[in-house]
């Protein structure tokens, strides 16, 4: 059966950075709800118009919209090893996923919690920059973009929005830690280490 992992953790924990590497080196498909929504906003689709205000203010997009997106994507990814990056983010999303997985012939192989303190998250997010052409993620201090690569700052990586997103994480997403602990699926990774060390820890889990 194809592998299915969830990357859980606060915004800025390094989930996307590590997922990109697993895509390049291990053939995983990264399913990032944040990326899907940003693409929709950029293309001004119906989805993008609905999602933009929530995203810019650091709130979660309503569950019904997100669950619909994931359902559609999962149907198109049968047989592929996947990483769910940034989904689920609420208990109702997790419950919907539990129902969905058997319908697409999957089971959960593990939920990997990227553990990082809030002050580190703030440093990472405030310095995050993205190459809009490739989607590659950089950091002005920890991983500066190569010469000649033009990068932008995300709207929601501004200081006030970062704090709001952290609040939202603690109130709405952190309850998933217990949810998956109880199911016996949770693996904790210390993510406040250099990217290579985090990757090594990940590879030990994803065999
Ligand atoms: P997430 O997908 O969890 O929101 P990202 O992968 O986008 O997080 O990483 C957030 C920021 O932190 C980016 O600027 C990235 O370059 C940087 N970063 C990622 N992993 C590390 C790490 N292990 N140490 C330092 N900075 C990191
Ligand atoms: P991310 O790129 O994961 O940091 O997500 C950016 C923004 O997209 C979040 O702050 C939310 O507004 C929205 N978003 C992404 N994933 C979800 C999700 N699973 N549920 C609700 N909103 C989401």
């Amino acid at each position: 059966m194809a592998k299915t992992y969830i990357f859980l953790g606060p915004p800025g924990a390094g989930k996307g950075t590590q997922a990109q590497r697993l895509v390049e080196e291990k053939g995983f498909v990264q399913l990032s709800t944040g990326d899907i929504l940003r693409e929709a906003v950029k293309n001004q689709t119906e989805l993008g118009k609905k999602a933009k205000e929530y995203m810019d203010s650091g709130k979660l997009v309503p569950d019904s919209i997100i669950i619909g997106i994931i359902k559609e994507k999962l149907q198109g990814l049968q047989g592929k090893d996947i990483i769910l990056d940034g989904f689920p983010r609420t208990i109702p999303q997790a419950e919907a996923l539990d129902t969905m997985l058997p319908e697409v012939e999957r089971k959960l192989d593990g939920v990997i919690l990227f553990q990082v303190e809030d002050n580190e998250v703030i440093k990472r997010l405030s310095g995050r920059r993205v190459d809009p052409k490739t989607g590659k993620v950089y950091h002005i201090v920890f991983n500066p973009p190569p010469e000649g690569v033009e990068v932008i700052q995300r709207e929601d990586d501004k200081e006030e929005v970062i704090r709001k997103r952290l609040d939202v994480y603690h109130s709405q997403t952190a309850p998933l830690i217990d949810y998956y602990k109880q199911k016996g699926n949770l693996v904790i990774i210390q993510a406040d280490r250099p990217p290579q060390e985090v990757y090594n820890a990940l590879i030990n889990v994803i065999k």
Side-chain angles (χ1 to χ4, degrees):
M1 195 183 276
K3 293 182 189 139
T4 308
Y5 286 96
I6 292 174
F7 279 10
L8 184 63
K15 304 181 298 295
T17 299
Q18 297 295 335
Q20 283 182 353
R21 196 159 166 201
L22 286 174
V23 168
E24 284 161 20
E25 297 183 20
K26 302 283 171 189
F28 274 84
V29 174
Q30 174 192 15
L31 203 47
S32 156
T33 38
D35 286 349
I36 294 166
L37 293 168
R38 274 184 293 280
E39 188 66 21
V41 170
K42 194 170 87 188
N43 296 329
Q44 298 184 339
T45 65
E46 279 308 307
L47 169 64
K49 285 180 202 157
K50 282 189 206 143
K52 185 174 183 341
E53 266 187 50
Y54 295 101
M55 295 174 77
D56 285 351
S57 60
K59 293 185 190 143
L60 293 184
V61 174
D63 287 337
S64 58
I65 296 180
I66 299 289
I67 291 165
I69 296 175
I70 288 286
K71 202 171 226 171
E72 191 190 312
K73 293 280 176 191
L74 283 180
Q75 276 155 1
L77 287 170
Q78 303 232 8
K80 301 245 164 71
D81 294 337
I82 60 170
I83 295 162
L84 295 169
D85 168 13
F87 173 89
R89 256 181 159 95
T90 63
I91 297 281
Q93 291 181 18
E95 289 170 346
L97 182 66
D98 287 342
T99 311
M100 246 182 267
L101 286 178
E103 292 170 3
V104 289
E105 290 164 36
R106 285 182 186 275
K107 65 168 183 55
L108 207 48
D109 291 284
V111 178
I112 298 165
L113 174 65
F114 285 63
Q115 195 145 298
V116 187
E117 298 300 327
D118 284 6
N119 56 1
E120 178 68 17
V121 161
I122 293 168
K123 276 190 228 158
R124 288 189 185 180
L125 289 183
S126 51
R128 175 161 65 184
R129 299 292 183 274
V130 184
D131 177 349
K133 292 199 189 104
T134 61
K136 257 192 106 56
V137 177
Y138 298 97
H139 189 283
I140 47 175
V141 179
F142 306 138
N143 179 23
E147 192 109 10
V149 172
E150 299 267 351
V151 291
I152 54 164
Q153 183 173 33
R154 276 168 50 170
E155 270 308 307
D156 59 351
D157 281 346
K158 309 268 158 77
E159 179 98 23
E160 331 73 75
V161 191
I162 291 174
R163 289 190 188 276
K164 171 73 187 164
R165 289 161 69 207
L166 266 171
D167 287 347
V168 166
Y169 172 75
H170 289 296
S171 61
Q172 294 184 256
T173 306
L176 293 179
I177 297 171
D178 269 344
Y179 181 87
Y180 287 118
K181 217 181 249 171
Q182 277 169 21
K183 285 180 179 285
N185 282 325
L186 195 76
V187 180
I188 299 175
I189 283 189
Q190 224 38 63
D192 57 349
R193 298 184 282 171
Q196 180 64 46
E197 285 183 31
V198 178
Y199 187 72
N200 293 345
L202 255 181
I203 289 300
N204 268 325
V205 177
I206 299 177
K207 291 236 176 70

